[in-house]
Amino acid sequence: MPVAASAIYFLNLRGDVLINRLYRDDVGGNMVDAFRTHIMQTKELGTCPVRQIGGCSFFYMRISNVYIVIVVSSNANVACAFKFVVEAVALFKSYFGGAFDEDAIRNNFVLIYELLDEIMDFGYPQNLSPEILKLYITQEGVRSPFSSKPTDKPVPNATLQVTGAVGWRREGLVYKKNEVFLDIVESVNLLMSSKGSVLRCDVTGKILMKCFLSGMPDLKLGLNDKIGLEKESQLKSRPTKSGKTIELDDVTFHQCVNLTRFNSEKTVSFVPPDGEFELMNSRKYYTVLYFLGGCISFNFLVPDCLSERFRYRITEGVNLPFRVLPTIKELGRTRMEVNVKVKSVFGAKMFALGVVIKIPVPKQTAKTSFQVTSGRAKYNPAIDCLVWKIRKFPGQTEPTMSAEIELISTMAEKKSWTRPPIQMEFQVPMFTASGLRVRFLKVWEKSGYNTVEWVRYITKAGSYEIRC
Amino acid sequence: MSGHDSKYFSTTKKGEIPELKEELNSQYKDKRKDAVKKVIAAMTVGKDVSSLFTDVVNCMQTENLELKKLVYLYLINYAKSQPDLAILAVNTFVKDSQDPNPLIRALAVRTMGCIRVDKITEYLCDPLQRCLKDDDPYVRKTAAICVAKLYDINAELVEDRGFLESLKDLISDNNPMVVANAVAALAEIQENSSGPIFEISSHTLSKLLTALNECTEWGQVFILDALSRYKAADAREAENIVERVTPRLQHANCAVVLSAVKMILQQMELITSTDVVRNLCKKMAPPLVTLLSAEPEIQYVALRNINLIVQRRPTILAHEIKVFFCKYNDPIYVKMEKLEIMIKLASDRNIDQVLLEFKEYATEVDVDFVRKAVRAIGRCAIKLERAAERCISVLLELIKIKVNYVVQEAIIVIKDIFRRYPNTYESIIATLCESLDTLDEPEAKASMIWIIGEYAERIDNADELLESFLESFPEEPAQVQLQLLTATVKLFLKKPTEGPQQMIQTRDQLPIFICTCTVFKHSSQSVVTNTNSCLQVVLNNATVETDNPDLRDRAYIYWRLLSTDPEAAKDVVLAEKPVITDDSNQLDSSLLDELLANIATLSSVYHKPPEAFVTRVKTTAPKTEDDDYPNGIDTGYSDTPTHVADGGTSPQTSSSSAPYPAGRQPAPPPAAPAPAAPVPDLLGDLIGLDNSAIVPVDRPEPAPAAPLPVVLPASTGQGLQISAQLTRQDGQVLYSMLFENNTQIPLDGFMIQFNKNSFGLAAAGPLQVPQLQPGTSARTLLPMVLFQNVSGGAPSSLLQVAVKNNQQPVWYFNDKVSLHVFFTEDGRMERGSFLETWRSLPDSNEVLKDLPGIVVSNVEATLDRLAASNMFFIAKRKHANQDVFYFSAKIPRGIPFLIELTTVIGNPGVKCAIKTPNPEMAPLFFEAIESLLKA
């Protein structure tokens, strides 16, 4: 059964109910007490996100200082339930302007009730897309699209939008300046052994797009990925240009993409419906033709917010932006010496921002002294780490940090210190760890206007861990 | 953009409710709206604002959509407690369901469906009928779900009013979301009904697969889940289906991906072409891996499912083991699951890398995780013969760290490795013995002792080592005592001549001992003359100074064996033990099938079939065999059952509390023939059993008259009609039966036989029915006994009966056992003991159920009726407007039921909570109480 929830509760960290909604009758209203006494008040919290108590099962997630708990009594679809929570939180955030916490819930409880009523019916998730819900569930609430008040702006096909029966294109949009913004955001996950060999490494990337285009543009996007390039070379019967090609392990698309045709023909196109569509004031919908490496194309809904259209994952041939070379020596029982060298292996003209390196030290650290060639380092006892921050980190450099640590000698400490891994945070603009490049982004429109295309790349650290 | 609703939570002075009342009746719209918001805020924090019902409902007729929604929300919460007043809202609902605004039409229908008050439901039908045919898809998609809601409240009404047909029509709707919701509603209705309501034909299938493309992500989940029940006709159809579903694997929504995987795996069973299968496996890997970059909770769900998937199709992720390496910051539940999958994927090719990882994990902080990592090394050693040596050397390295729990865990797994590879790695025993003093956990101690006993001949100072444990023998847990006993006997058999002389003084105890135990007088004397004192101490302790029957019995068996025939003892105790095997794919194949059919659901996360945790009773008879499934995925190795006498020497590995490890225990004796095919089994029983139960009919006995339910209609029984029911009279369970002969011939020689059932009900005496002339009838009361032929499995109310006579073939019919006939007369509990029992039972033994249709109008009469059925009233209290009653009842073998009934007198809906040591009886209990309350 694809039922995702019988009831949903939002609790604060003390366990008070901030808001709740019962969708089905098969769980009692007091089930949340069971959650409080059996999960929140015990050590069980955090051991497993799916728990059974009595005849009910609880799925819970913590988001900032709020627990979101879903209660069911049937064999519900857990994947659906968790995804629903994730999407619902994203929806609330987009309504509240970014924040989702206890205060935001209290301040918007009427709106949340309204949304909860709309996004789930009898435990079945309905439409959770913010772009569409904002058509008819508005902040002010009074602006009903069908209200007879003349001041209201009518959104006559809101219900059609919700049910997905209407295409996403309208005619007659005009922009003075036609622009497309394309962001390629990658995060590198790395797990490196103490000997410097890579245990696991992958890059997950997403392509975000924002369009301000007039009329009915077709977009084609060419990437340097392998399948795309091979297809292209077959089509044009010429060998692939030398240069790096990228193998994408997995690609997932946003809801709007017609997956069946993408799979079968590698050409996904969509014929926009030709019915009459009312002009919608605050929304902008375009047809976009996406063209992957030559022969994958599809078109999709582009709202005027930066939205994610495309996700991919790469495990082969990852360019690691940083190498970390730690040496940690325990000198006797009360002293330690830590030397860390960080090498930036991207181009010399580029630089990384917000580099933070966290080097774990034992709990009984008493005194630390540092020498760094760049940035600033300090000891943070709250997380038992030496934190070395470098605001701007140019490419092809290798700053070092050496620290001396004095430990309080303890009698009881028989167990040797288990060294947690070094963790790193960074952002490298204009660099992709996957090597993915946009080869072209072309926009065609029958009026033949010129478009300005902006492409940005950024690579961030996902979980970048080096064992030591 | 954030709102400022928090001000509504601020409490005013004392007279809050009157103040709100005043504001709700204000003439100003804004003030009314604010007041409703305050009411909702109060409702949210748990205050009872039901007294404002009329005033809030008065605000319902408004143009303002937001206000309307708030009033509706209030209604959903309080209509049940004020059913009479809820009728006030009906008019507005009906009016709203015809509003020109589709949002309001949908809202009205959606809300009406959520209000489970009969009076409202009556009025829902007409608007629902209209809305199912509405022009606006938004209204239709809401109405589709509403049919499922209505079915939940009143199934008959849905069937009578033809809503099911309208719903089926919606499958062909041109709007994809309407289709998806209709499919969801139909699938749910099907799930709760026994009849065929939503059968997927190949035509529907192709229609739905087409709709899949246009649906919202959630709609895709509904459709895929519904279609996964479809059984393709042949391999070609299966391939076609799979081809149309595979694109879903690329979806960004994890629920869509998992549902697609489920459907593909289902169809793959039919596909014969290995190329196609290989190709599909290849396609499924990347999306499954991608799920691991989602939120940790989603990762957990994905990992639990992957665990199942790799058991069925190990090739899918065979090359992806690296993605399951744990990140330092992964939550513990993700790490544990990853570890489990790493063990499953470990192979000769990747074992080195895997071992390095496990070793790394074994030095982490979280103790449970470290233990599991150590255990994982052992399990790899057992799984991969060629890697065993490397695994052992890693374990030895870990032992050298001298972290207490690592050492203990390592010893436990090394014992298993010895079992798996006998006589191969004994050289490491010396290293193990070094850590002897650090052992303080029973399982580790027991394992070490087992090792010493098993290899006594190779350990020079085995006797000394064992002796060191003997000092604390009486204080040790049973597990350790059993191992000590067996190890000592082994030592004695292997090295009879040796024995620590300093122990001789314990002989002093022997004379007393011999006197106390005359049965074994002879044997003990022979022990005196032949054995060393180490053994005497153990046998003495184990036979006289313990209350543990297992230990005592085992000691006696050894003792007798040793005294009668030491050679036989050797054969038995030192018998070759069956080699244990890897059990990382330990789920039973049929269970695995069922779990794979439930991918993405709770069932796949718990690794239990849905029946094992869903208490809702379906209209169909529950299956009986489900509870026999092993449910633990975390159990370690399983031993094949060993010889009786050596039972204790077989290492009890992971779950020490269970008598057998739950993993691969052989299926319990097939006691319960599946109810689906009762005929041959029952016939066999009928003929094969000794005739204590089958007896000719001779003495007729008059019985009190009461209408009995017909169990065998005349149409089925070729003119013989049987009505029967279990009753209880004067502490005796009776089967009250009425035979009616509508045939043309006299019938005689009636005999009756009961199939094995959950309660072991059987006839206590012969069936006494006289010869039945055509057109006459006879009543009889058949005394019954309990616990004769108890079937295994989950308790079921099914009672299968066979009746025969000299003229006709054997008739089989099913009857339902109502649990209340077993409630014994001594079930009354004192208040104090009730409270104590209630507290002493863990909360997991509490089961809740709502009985929505039941009205308690007359408390006295109800209590009397319950008392007449041996359900004893204990106490009553008032909670808000609800009355809470406490009862106790007891069924044979002294199983108590503590019952709490919560209801509003005169209103439908009774909430029943029970606590009992046997919660698996709960569904039966609820059936019984429902019928008792209805009566």
Side-chain angles (χ1 to χ4, degrees), chain B residues 728 819-825 869-871 889-892 897 899 925 928 932:
Chain B
R728 185 180 189 89
L819 194 68
H820 67 80
V821 303
F822 300 122
F823 292 171
T824 54
E825 279 69 21
S869 300
N870 294 332
M871 214 174 115
K890 202 188 226 176
I891 59 172
F897 282 90
I899 304 126
F925 181 85
L932 278 178

Side-chain angles (χ1 to χ4, degrees), chain A residues 1-3 17-21 24-26 30-31 38 46-52 54-55 57 59-62 72-80 82-84 86-87 94-97 106-111 113-114 117-118 121-122 124-128 136-137 139-142 144-146 148 159-160 162-165 189 191 198-200 204 249-253 255 258-260 262-263 313 415-416 418 420-421 423 463 465 467, chain B residues 1-6 8-9 33 37 40-41 44 63-66 69-70 73 76 80 101-103 107 110 114 116 136-138 141-142 145 148-149 152 175-177 181 184 188 191 213 215-218 220-222 225 247-248 250-255 258-259 286-287 289-290 293 295 297-298 300-301 322-323 325-329 332-333 357 360-361 363 365 403 405 598 600-603 605-606 608 610 613-614 616 843 846 848 850:
Chain A
M1 242 196 336
V3 165
V17 177
L18 299 175
I19 211 164
N20 72 315
R21 173 74 207 250
R24 298 172 79 94
D25 211 36
D26 54 356
N30 57 350
M31 279 323 287
H38 292 279
T47 54
C48 180
V50 180
R51 289 287 306 277
Q52 190 187 358
S57 294
F59 320 146
Y60 61 96
M61 250 179 166
R62 180 177 164 174
V72 296
S73 76
S74 58
N75 183 24
N77 190 320
V78 194
C80 209
F82 277 128
K83 188 68 186 172
F84 171 79
V86 171
E87 299 265 304
S94 101
Y95 264 98
F96 310 158
R106 284 200 195 276
N107 283 325
N108 295 285
F109 81 98
V110 174
L111 178 64
Y113 271 130
E114 205 176 338
D117 192 44
E118 193 61 43
D121 194 5
F122 202 45
Y124 294 100
Q126 303 293 306
N127 205 321
L128 270 84
Y136 65 102
I137 296 184
Q139 287 284 296
E140 297 78 16
V142 284
S144 155
F146 293 89
S148 50
T159 57
L160 300 181
V162 180
T163 54
N189 298 303
L191 184 59
V198 176
L199 294 174
R200 61 167 287 183
T204 54
D249 289 12
D250 189 26
V251 186
T252 52
F253 296 104
Q255 168 64 14
N258 186 330
L259 294 169
T260 308
F262 165 74
N263 240 49
R313 183 166 48 80
K415 196 177 131 188
S416 66
T418 62
Q423 300 193 18
S463 109
E465 295 177 351
R467 290 180 180 158
Chain B
M1 321 211 316
S2 112
H4 302 283
D5 296 346
S6 55
Y8 299 112
F9 287 98
K33 192 165 124 190
K37 282 189 181 178
I40 300 289
T44 304
E63 283 289 292
N64 186 317
L65 194 56
E66 188 192 15
K69 283 180 178 172
L70 289 173
L73 183 71
I76 293 173
K80 242 178 157 178
N101 181 342
L103 289 174
L107 183 66
R110 185 164 68 212
C114 295
R116 303 172 66 98
D136 194 296
Y138 182 78
K141 73 113 182 163
T142 312
I145 294 282
K149 291 180 189 169
D152 196 38
N175 182 294
M177 193 157 181
N181 277 3
E188 171 162 349
E191 186 131 331
N213 278 327
C215 276
T216 66
E217 43 198 325
W218 313 107
Q220 298 186 11
V221 178
F222 305 159
D225 275 4
R248 299 299 124 204
Q250 228 91 62
H251 204 286
N253 185 319
C254 60
L258 279 174
S259 293
V289 171
T290 301
S293 46
E295 289 73 15
E297 290 84 0
I298 293 177
Y300 173 75
V301 175
K322 274 190 178 186
V323 301
F325 287 2
C326 300
K327 296 181 190 154
Y328 188 74
N329 288 333
I332 182 70
Y333 52 85
E357 280 299 303
E360 187 72 35
Y361 305 156
T363 58
V365 189
V403 177
Y405 51 84
N598 278 306
T601 68
L602 209 44
S603 170
V605 172
Y606 289 149
K608 286 179 190 169
F613 58 89
V614 176
R616 179 150 47 156
D843 285 325
E846 184 169 358
L848 268 175
D850 277 328

Side-chain angles (χ1 to χ4, degrees), chain A residues 18 42 78 81 147 202 249 295 304 339 432 437:
Chain A
L18 299 175
T42 61
V78 194
S147 163
D202 62 74
D249 289 12
C295 43
D304 62 342
N339 286 298
T432 52
R437 281 276 171 277

